[in-house]
């Protein structure tokens, strides 16, 4: 039976990739995206599905409980997939208030809306509120520590991760207090198409194209577990369709890399790509280091940021055993796809970086 999904934050990086994936897999399902179109949300991310008859977009804030109730009622939604979140650690350090508002208050507004319609009014006895969280709620790991699993105690170290941990606890509370049918997934670092250019991998790619410095925090030996974004979408699909109500599932790429090794790999791939395609030098004449085959010369070490966790790593054994989750992309295949997407989609990232997209949002939505 077709589902009707309300996807919050569906114009963001991970949310948009999930919407593309879901409508490709389930063309009869209805998908409604609710997004505030803040700096990290981009309606252009949804261009691949904008003409799909079962897709619709609503500009709005998850803190608006009345709007959430209205959308759940109008679209007869039985599933919420909750991506909407402030998610950049650096921004949470300089401006934590927005993270508290969106990640905690916003999540609670959605939970209240779902409870009111699905439980209090009994409109959808069978429903699912799926909450997308992060591995950062678990804190940090030493080099020889075992990877995070679903039993790892929470120990957030930044305003961002603390706000996500709080939202995770609220979701759990609405199951045990009110019977809301919830699930949670905690993912490792995502990468892929439509990734906002302030994040590490797209930042390195675009900075190389402009011959700008590639900033590396501290010694660059921080370790992250990288997950191709479509593999994340596939993992969420499995949780929604096969996951047990009330359970949490870790979705990881089984793919640990230090930040400096990531940057050096992207530099090498950019050197190779420019060497193989002479047209790139014409399209990106400022990319002198890559044109000369020495993109790594742009690497610059900068002071480490406060509260910078040393290592994250996800143990996806539970998702593998219970749901059959296995990443389809290796890092080598995924990073090549990602790099090529950025080279092919200059118009998208240039509008994000020069502010013209946000100017357009203001003109359209005020």
């Amino acid at each position: 039976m077709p589902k009707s999904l309300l996807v919050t934050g569906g114009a963001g990086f991970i949310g948009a990739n999930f919407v593309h994936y879901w409508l490709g897999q389930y063309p009869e399902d209805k998908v409604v995206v609710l997004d505030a179109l803040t700096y990290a949300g981009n309606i252009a991310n949804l261009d691949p599905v904008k003409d799909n008859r079962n897709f619709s977009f609503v500009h709005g804030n998850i803190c608006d409980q009345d709007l959430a109730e209205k959308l759940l009622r109008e679209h007869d939604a039985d599933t919420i997939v909750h991506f909407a979140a402030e998610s950049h650690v650096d921004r949470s350090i300089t401006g934590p208030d927005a993270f508290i508002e969106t990640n905690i208050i916003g999540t609670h507004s959605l939970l209240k809306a779902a409870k009111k319609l699905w439980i209090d009014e009994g409109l959808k006895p069978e429903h699912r509120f799926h909450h997308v969280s992060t591995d950062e709620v678990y804190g940090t790991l030493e080099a020889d520590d075992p990877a995070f699993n679903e039993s790892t105690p929470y120990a957030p170290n930044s305003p961002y991760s603390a706000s996500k941990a709080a939202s995770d606890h609220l979701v759990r509370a609405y199951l045990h207090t009110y019977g809301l049918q919830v699930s949670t997934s905690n993912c490792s670092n995502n990468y892929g198409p439509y990734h906002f250019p302030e994040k590490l991998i797209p930042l390195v790619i675009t900075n190389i194209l402009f011959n700008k410095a590639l900033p590396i925090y501290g010694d660059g030996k921080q370790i992250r577990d990288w997950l191709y974004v479509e593999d994340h979408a596939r993992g969420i699909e499995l949780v929604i369709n096969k996951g047990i109500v009330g359970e949490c599932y870790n979705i990881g790429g089984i793919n640990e890399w230090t930040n400096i090794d990531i940057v050096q790999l992207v530099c090498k791939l950019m050197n190779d790509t420019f060497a193989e395609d002479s047209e790139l030098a014409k399209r990106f004449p400022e990319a002198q280091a890559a044109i000369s085959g020495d993109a790594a010369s742009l690497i610059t070490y900068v002071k480490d940021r406060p509260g910078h966790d040393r290592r994250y790593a996800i143990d996806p054994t539970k998702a593998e055993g219970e749901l059959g989750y296995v990443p389809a992309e290796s890092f080598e295949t995924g990073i090549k796809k990602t790099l090529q997407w950025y080279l092919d989609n200059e118009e998208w990232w240039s509008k994000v970086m020069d502010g013209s997209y946000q100017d357009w949002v203001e003109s359209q939505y005020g």
Side-chain angles (χ1 to χ4, degrees):
M1 183 176 178
K3 295 180 185 294
S4 178
L5 283 68
L6 174 63
V7 180
T8 71
F13 161 49
I14 303 176
N17 277 281
F18 172 81
V19 170
H20 304 164
Y21 176 80
W22 192 274
L23 285 171
Q25 296 294 116
Y26 305 96
E28 297 306 312
D29 284 4
K30 180 187 292 187
V31 174
V32 181
V33 166
L34 172 63
D35 200 293
L37 297 181
T38 58
Y39 75 94
N42 186 338
I43 201 168
N45 295 355
L46 296 166
D47 280 351
V49 296
K50 66 182 180 181
D51 296 324
N52 188 306
R53 63 183 177 84
N54 285 330
F55 167 78
S56 57
F57 174 81
V58 177
H59 179 245
N61 196 302
I62 59 170
C63 294
D64 186 344
Q65 182 181 339
D66 290 340
L67 176 59
E69 291 177 13
K70 177 174 179 285
L71 294 176
L72 291 173
R73 198 181 304 275
E74 285 184 355
H75 296 278
D76 197 31
D78 54 22
T79 304
I80 293 174
V81 188
H82 178 35
F83 292 96
E86 296 284 348
S87 64
H88 195 251
V89 174
D90 285 355
R91 288 177 183 262
S92 82
I93 293 169
T94 58
D97 289 6
F99 289 74
I100 305 304
E101 180 73 17
T102 298
N103 299 355
I104 302 177
I105 305 301
T107 298
H108 192 219
S109 295
L110 288 171
L111 288 165
K112 289 190 291 182
K115 171 184 173 291
K116 181 178 177 181
L117 270 71
W118 292 345
I119 294 178
D120 298 347
E121 298 182 15
L123 295 183
K124 293 291 177 183
E126 295 299 319
H127 57 261
R128 179 65 67 95
F129 186 112
H130 182 71
H131 177 58
V132 181
S133 189
T134 170
D135 56 2
E136 296 193 39
V137 298
Y138 298 122
T140 188
L141 294 169
E142 296 300 327
D144 57 352
D145 286 342
F148 300 129
N149 62 44
E150 291 79 1
S151 299
T152 301
Y154 277 25
N157 290 321
S158 70
Y160 161 60
S161 56
S163 67
K164 287 297 290 184
S167 67
D168 293 5
H169 292 319
L170 282 170
V171 171
R172 173 185 167 86
Y174 265 68
L175 164 72
H176 290 281
T177 304
Y178 305 112
L180 193 68
Q181 296 172 17
V182 305
S183 53
T184 298
S185 55
N186 297 74
C187 69
S188 55
N189 278 37
N190 281 217
Y191 70 99
Y194 302 102
H195 205 177
F196 193 76
E198 72 182 358
K199 304 289 189 171
L200 178 63
I201 290 175
L203 178 71
V204 171
I205 293 170
T206 53
N207 275 19
I208 289 172
L209 296 177
F210 290 104
N211 222 50
K212 292 182 178 180
L214 308 179
I216 303 295
Y217 282 124
D219 62 4
K221 297 294 186 180
Q222 303 88 358
I223 296 171
R224 300 294 181 261
D225 180 359
W226 291 91
L227 173 66
Y228 190 65
V229 67
E230 187 171 293
D231 281 330
H232 187 188
R234 187 176 297 107
I236 293 171
E237 171 196 26
L238 288 168
V239 176
I240 291 171
N241 289 340
K242 298 174 65 176
I244 298 170
V245 168
E247 291 294 301
C248 299
Y249 295 91
N250 283 350
I251 301 174
I254 319 172
N255 180 42
E256 293 185 53
W257 286 70
T258 65
N259 285 350
I260 186 61
D261 286 345
I262 288 276
V263 173
Q264 289 174 339
L265 174 62
V266 173
C267 287
K268 180 183 183 302
L269 291 173
M270 288 290 273
N271 291 340
D272 294 346
T273 304
F274 270 78
E276 293 165 3
D277 185 353
S278 60
E279 290 300 311
L280 288 176
K282 298 175 184 176
R283 288 179 52 207
F284 303 105
E286 294 179 70
Q288 289 300 310
I291 291 169
S292 65
D294 192 19
S297 65
L298 298 171
I299 292 174
T300 304
Y301 289 88
V302 300
K303 182 180 179 181
D304 209 350
R305 70 186 180 201
H308 198 177
D309 293 330
R310 194 64 176 171
R311 173 175 168 245
Y312 306 139
I314 282 281
D315 178 358
T317 300
K318 178 178 176 180
E320 290 175 356
E322 293 187 14
L323 309 177
Y325 166 75
V326 178
E329 296 290 343
S330 69
F331 191 64
E332 289 72 14
T333 61
I335 198 68
K336 287 179 180 178
K337 286 183 177 181
T338 302
L339 189 153
Q340 192 61 52
W341 187 90
Y342 277 88
L343 292 174
D344 293 342
N345 288 274
E346 180 185 3
E347 183 179 8
W348 178 87
W349 53 258
S350 62
K351 285 182 177 180
V352 172
M353 293 173 67
D354 68 16
S356 59
Y357 168 71
Q358 208 57 39
D359 291 342
W360 177 84
V361 171
E362 290 295 326
S363 70
Q364 295 294 309
Y365 298 106

